[in-house]
């Protein structure tokens, strides 16, 4: 099985984004996955709703977690790519 493509979508000065980054860093280390971060203020949003839902975690291009990112929720999202969590 290939490793998932994980993207953290953030904005500056966002305490939930800071927490999500910490959570994702810890889980990614434990699960041996790489991830990237995207700042909406630099790149814009693919969906206008993203501005109200940051932080977002996309796995293989699909929004899987949003707002308050929980370690268990994130691990489950990484293991079951079909479901959407944190909606």
């Amino acid at each position: 099985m290939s490793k998932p493509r994980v993207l953290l979508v953030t904005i500056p000065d966002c305490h939930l984004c800071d927490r999500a980054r910490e959570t994702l860093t810890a889980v990614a280390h434990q699960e041996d996955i790489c991830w990237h971060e995207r700042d909406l203020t630099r790149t814009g949003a693919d969906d206008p709703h993203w501005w109200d839902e940051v932080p977002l975690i996309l796995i293989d291009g699909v929004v899987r977690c949003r707002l308050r990112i929980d370690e268990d929720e994130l691990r489950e999202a990484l293991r079951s790519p079909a479901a959407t969590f944190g909606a």
Side-chain angles (χ1 to χ4, degrees):
M1 185 165 103
S2 64
K3 292 190 180 190
R5 292 176 295 119
V6 180
L7 176 66
L8 174 62
V9 178
T10 63
I11 58 175
D13 302 317
C14 167
H15 74 280
L16 290 177
C17 298
D18 295 339
R19 287 184 180 176
R21 188 179 302 106
E22 292 170 7
T23 299
L24 182 53
T25 298
V27 171
H29 179 73
Q30 294 165 354
E31 301 289 332
D32 191 31
I33 59 169
C34 296
W35 60 277
H36 301 278
E37 185 168 343
R38 178 175 162 189
D39 177 348
L40 290 185
T41 63
R42 293 177 183 237
T43 65
D46 294 353
D47 181 327
H49 293 105
W50 285 9
W51 290 100
D52 297 323
E53 297 177 342
V54 291
L56 297 156
I57 294 180
L58 283 71
I59 300 174
D60 294 329
V62 177
V63 175
R64 300 300 307 284
C65 303
R66 59 181 58 119
L67 298 171
R68 288 179 172 77
I69 310 299
D70 173 81
E71 279 192 32
D72 293 332
E73 173 186 27
L74 178 55
R75 280 193 188 87
E76 181 63 26
L78 288 165
R79 291 187 180 108
S80 57
T84 300
F85 294 82

